Each structure stands twice: as C-alpha cells, then as structure tokens.
Amino acid sequence: FNSVSKTESMGLYTSALTCLVLLTATPSSDAFSVLPSNRPVFTSVHSKSALNAIGVLARKAKEAEVRSYVEGGVEEDVLAKYEAMKGGAPESNDPGPVQTSLTKRKGNICIISEYKKKFESAGFIDEILEPNIISSTFREFGASAVSVLADERVGGCTYDDIKIIVKEQSNSKGEVPGPLPVISSDVIVDEIQIARAAAAGAEAYFVTMSVVGPDKIQEFVKLGSAIGMETIVNVSGKDEAQKAVDMGARMICISGADVNAKVEAKEGVSAPGDEQVCFIASIGARDDKSLAEVEEVWQLRDKGFQGAFVSDCLYKSGNDSTEHPGAIIRSMKAKSSVKWASVKARGGKGEGAKEYLGDIMM
C-alpha cells in the first residue's frame, strides 16, 4: 500500500474478501422472548455465542457489510493498522497481555464479560446500561476482560462502543483494579476488521473456526500479531481446537452442550514444546432464573479452564439489586464449589468453601 493511492487501496481491500467454507455447525439456539418487564427469557441450555453459530446467509451479509465499509472509505487510523499488518512485523511466541491476564492465577477462573445491546429474538433490551456505565461495573466486580459484540445486526453494538469502553477503562489507569483489556467479537471474515478493532483500541479479537476455516485462522493469527492483536478462536469440538492450535492460536474458546462436552473438547489439545494454551469456556444461558451458569463456571474452573466467556446470562435479571451483571461476575469468580454450595438453593452444606449466591451477590 505504500505505492498505491487510497482509492486503489479500497479496491484491494474489497478483493481481499474470500469465499468462506460453508458452515456446518448447528444453528444458534439462543432464542428467547421478552417478559412485560422487557427482560430476556432464554429457551435453551444449548445456547452458544452468536459467533459460533452463524449461518451462510449471515456470513454473506457480513462480507457485504465489510465490502460496503471499504467502498465507503476506510479511516486513516484503520488504514495505518492495515498497512502495519501487511508490513510483516516480527512475531513473538510469548503470551500477550490478554492471555497473561487470563492465566496469571492458577486454580482461578477469569471472566470475559460481553457487552451487547441487542438479543437475537428480543431486539434491544431496555435494562442494559450504556457502555460507559457498565464498563466500570465489569471492572469493579472482577472481570478480567471486556468483549464487545461489534456486529450491529447481531449485538446492536459498533466499533464506536469499543472506543467508548476502551476510553472508560483507560480512566482507571493507576487505580486498583486497573483498566481491563477490550476484545472485539465482531464476526471476523476479513483482515480489515482486525485492523479496525486495533484502531478502536481493542487488544484482541474473536474469530470462529467454522466460519473461516484453519487456513484463514493461521493468516489472521500472523497478521494480528504484527500489530499486537491477540487471537481467540471459537471452536465447537476437539478437532477444531487442535486445528486452531496447530494454526498458531494460543487462546481457544470452547462451546459445548454441557460441562462434559467442553472438557472433552479440551482434553489432549496441546501446542508444540512448552507453549501454553489458554482454554476459555463459552457459557450458554439457561431458560430460567436459577443462575445455574454460575455452578457451570465453578465446575469448569475445577476441570482446568482458565477463562469463561459470559454473555447473555449476565443480563437475565436485568439490573436486579442482587443479580445484576456485576454480581453474577463476582459469584462466578468465588471460591465456592458445587461439592459444598448450591447457587440454586442459595445455601451450602458440609465443610469447605462456605460462599454461595445469597452472600456472594450482596
């Protein structure tokens, strides 16, 4: 791009869009309806992130959206990031700051809290706070990172929301807790989106194996690392997880119907030498208000997962005084175990950790 005009660059960006493999993953079951209080009621325990269940038509819509964005003119800061990616800066095999933040405390589980304004079947939810407000809640209640679903069709957010949250997080520099890294969870189909996320201030991004395939994963990992962007690959099973690691990814987000499915997908997956792989579990939302998702996080922590990606279940109770998003994050990070405590019963038994939801969420 050093020798071409910006107009010519736009054409090159457009031509860079690739034909993606057909999606064979099961359709999303994140459907829900809205109660009179405008709170979402989820209808399946098999809920996955929208990123891990996107269909062919939605993928093509994203390609068209990216093409339209490019043809409309790419911002100078995004163009600069894109050129830096293509410049082939030296790569590092060392864990980046996002991976480090998720793996620094053994035996604990770190929470990636997703911000979104819109839900697949219910539309916009009135009780969800603006990004500059809820950003501080995520930090103060113990999240380790903030993800922004920067796909306006799916999550109601844009790259402007990433910028808002990055700015709010930066306000806590020098404080305890300090700024959280921000992750873009747009539906990535082209490298220009990685450059756009970096320009907005994100430090990492999600990309889905079943959407782009292993070759693109390898390309994105290399391009992202050239500008300090870490890659988190969404997978739905062991084969996809190992392929992602083989392609250079070192953070793997696993979807599955239940705890056992997620654990099975993780077992045996390894990187060359002594390189560390960070395993993140995608936590689906149940169709009730028992918050059994908290128990699932406890179980996955005890099975060796370092992180939990938490989205829709954060908003099941709106801004209820004891079950708001921050309180749910805090409970997921608690030292409780299903052996000694029950979220549903809000009580514990026997010896061991005595924390349970009624205490944790206050």
Side-chain angles (χ1 to χ4, degrees):
F1 285 103
N2 292 330
S3 60
V4 298
S5 68
K6 186 174 179 180
T7 300
E8 291 170 326
S9 298
M10 299 306 100
L12 290 173
Y13 282 141
T14 303
S15 65
L17 294 170
T18 58
C19 295
L20 305 176
V21 292
L22 292 176
L23 183 69
T24 57
T26 56
S28 171
S29 53
D30 283 348
F32 54 83
S33 58
V34 178
L35 292 174
S37 63
N38 207 28
R39 295 176 181 175
V41 177
F42 299 82
T43 60
S44 176
V45 70
H46 303 296
S47 169
K48 293 182 180 181
S49 166
L51 299 177
N52 218 27
I54 191 168
V56 174
L57 293 178
R59 188 195 70 215
K60 289 183 177 180
K62 175 55 67 172
E63 290 175 341
E65 179 186 315
V66 173
R67 188 177 296 110
S68 177
Y69 163 71
V70 169
E71 292 173 348
V74 176
E75 302 89 340
E76 292 294 340
D77 57 346
V78 177
L79 183 60
K81 291 291 186 182
Y82 186 92
E83 291 175 340
M85 283 197 307
K86 293 298 187 177
E91 302 172 30
S92 171
N93 292 325
D94 296 332
V98 176
Q99 183 176 350
T100 299
S101 72
L102 296 176
T103 56
K104 61 184 177 183
R105 295 182 179 178
K106 293 184 178 180
N108 291 344
I109 194 161
C110 295
I111 306 300
I112 300 174
S113 303
E114 182 169 70
Y115 178 70
K116 62 196 300 186
K117 300 175 184 176
K118 183 180 178 182
F119 294 85
E120 199 166 314
S121 297
F124 288 88
I125 307 300
D126 289 343
E127 292 191 21
I128 293 179
L129 299 173
E130 288 301 307
N132 59 313
I133 298 174
I134 201 166
S135 174
S136 62
T137 298
F138 290 154
R139 178 176 66 254
E140 291 163 6
F141 281 84
S144 295
V146 181
S147 171
V148 181
L149 184 49
D151 181 301
E152 197 163 11
R153 292 176 302 103
V154 178
C157 296
T158 69
Y159 285 83
D160 287 337
D161 291 292
I162 294 179
K163 293 177 182 178
I164 291 169
I165 290 180
V166 167
K167 182 178 180 181
E168 193 286 323
Q169 290 295 332
S170 70
N171 293 337
S172 65
K173 189 174 182 179
E175 300 177 0
V176 179
L180 302 181
V182 179
I183 304 169
S184 171
S185 56
D186 189 8
V187 182
I188 300 294
V189 297
D190 188 79
E191 57 263 35
I192 192 64
Q193 296 166 277
I194 303 172
R196 197 176 180 190
E203 297 182 47
Y205 65 95
F206 284 98
V207 62
T208 303
M209 174 65 77
S210 62
V211 173
V212 300
D215 290 341
K216 271 293 182 183
I217 295 294
Q218 185 176 40
E219 179 184 349
F220 288 163
V221 168
K222 290 181 178 179
L223 289 171
S225 69
I227 56 172
M229 288 286 282
E230 297 176 66
T231 304
I232 305 173
V233 181
N234 294 309
V235 303
S236 58
K238 180 181 291 188
D239 289 344
E240 287 189 351
Q242 188 61 61
K243 284 180 182 177
V245 171
D246 293 343
M247 294 300 102
R250 294 296 179 265
M251 287 190 286
I252 308 297
C253 185
I254 300 175
S255 297
D258 53 32
V259 169
N260 290 335
K262 294 183 178 77
V263 172
E264 289 173 7
K266 179 178 80 73
E267 289 179 347
V269 176
S270 61
D274 58 354
E275 291 185 39
Q276 184 180 34
V277 178
C278 175
F279 291 101
I280 302 161
S282 180
I283 306 301
R286 272 67 168 181
D287 61 346
D288 54 48
K289 293 188 65 178
S290 67
L291 290 175
E293 298 91 343
V294 174
E295 290 187 356
E296 181 180 355
V297 171
W298 293 348
Q299 291 175 302
L300 290 164
R301 174 203 63 205
D302 294 342
K303 295 293 185 179
F305 278 83
Q306 291 99 349
F309 173 80
V310 186
S311 181
D312 294 357
C313 71
L314 292 176
Y315 308 103
K316 284 168 61 171
S317 299
N319 291 314
D320 181 272
S321 60
T322 60
E323 296 181 2
H324 56 82
I328 295 170
I329 293 167
R330 177 174 287 173
S331 70
M332 288 178 169
K333 287 177 62 65
K335 294 294 186 180
S336 287
S337 166
V338 292
K339 183 176 181 180
W340 308 115
S342 169
V343 171
K344 294 187 286 290
R346 299 198 178 193
K349 62 181 181 179
E351 298 300 324
K354 295 299 182 86
E355 296 169 295
Y356 52 89
L357 198 62
D359 292 331
I360 295 163
M361 288 191 164
M362 294 302 292

